Amino acid sequence: MRKRDLLILLLALAVAVTVTISIFARSALETGSWGLSFRQEGMPPIGNAGRDQLARYNAAYIGNTEEKVLYLTFDAGYENGCTAQILDVLKAKEVPAAFFLVGNYIEKNPDLVRRMVKEGHTVGNHTMHHYDMSKLSDKAAFSKELTDLETLYRDTIGSEMPKFYRPPQGIYSEENLKMAQELGYKTVFWSLAYMDWKNDAQPTKEEAFQKLLPRIHSGAVVLLHSTSRTNAQILNELIEKWKALGYRFGTLDELFQTV
């Protein structure tokens, strides 16, 4: 091979490597807290990562954006006296929901957990201790946080825990998503939430509706906290308002059929 041809070949290889690295860098998921950017009222927000990026790891934050369906989920690190009322409303309205629970919750509130399951709701894995899972780079430590909760759930309910996982505080890493996938889990983020978790600074009914109505969108995965007194107070009316806008309520199984 002539020297000139060799130089051209080496240059072409260098360009190819640079392009490959650039594409990989753009597609890699940065470690951090899940976040959303709302650009237009009634339209889906943009997440920290795209749908396709998340789908590589059986993860999702939004469903079918062509259909007026939403997925109602609750996170619970502890019981605050609101869950029974929330379950009453869900039962009366025939709305399915998912509850992401930690170990402490299941240990202290087994009857509520049994009721969730009996009434057709999904109980998902929010880890045993609600750690920042992005700091658990060791697969054994990461796995233990999920499998210990699975065992507690099995001992409490008598059946296997559904394989849906929500990272505590929404903090994640690409490696975490991969490890959850390898454990058979689907990771569930969200496309609509609001500041409802502070007990000493609960939003008013009006403030809640200002966040939860204009920003609702097709395929929304809604995150509420079942510790919130405001959520318990407004849930009946909130569901009716969403239904009046034409929305129906889907399950997490359905969500992952669309992503």
Side-chain angles (χ1 to χ4, degrees), residues 154-173:
R154 187 187 310 116
D155 292 344
T156 304
I157 302 300
S159 60
E160 295 299 320
M161 188 172 214
K163 291 282 190 171
F164 296 106
Y165 162 62
R166 174 165 284 162
Q169 304 175 65
I171 302 175
Y172 67 97
S173 69

Side-chain angles (χ1 to χ4, degrees), residues 29-36 47-49 54 59-61 75-76 100 102 125-127 130-135 142 165-174 176-177 187-191 193 197 223 225:
L29 300 178
E30 294 184 8
T31 298
S33 296
W34 182 249
L36 299 165
N48 285 10
L54 294 176
Y61 80 98
D75 283 3
F100 286 92
V102 299
N125 199 320
H126 206 33
T127 75
H130 205 260
Y131 294 147
D132 174 352
M133 298 295 281
S134 70
K135 294 180 179 178
F142 181 91
Y165 162 62
R166 174 165 284 162
Q169 304 175 65
I171 302 175
Y172 67 97
S173 69
E174 190 162 16
N176 283 171
L177 298 179
T187 300
V188 185
F189 290 103
W190 59 90
S191 63
W197 61 87
L223 163 61
H225 285 81

Side-chain angles (χ1 to χ4, degrees), residues 63-64 67 69-71 164 248-259:
N64 182 3
E67 182 184 0
V69 56
L70 60 87
Y71 306 91
F164 296 106
R248 68 174 183 85
F249 295 81
T251 65
L252 294 186
D253 284 322
E254 180 187 344
L255 167 67
F256 280 92
Q257 292 171 4
T258 68
V259 298

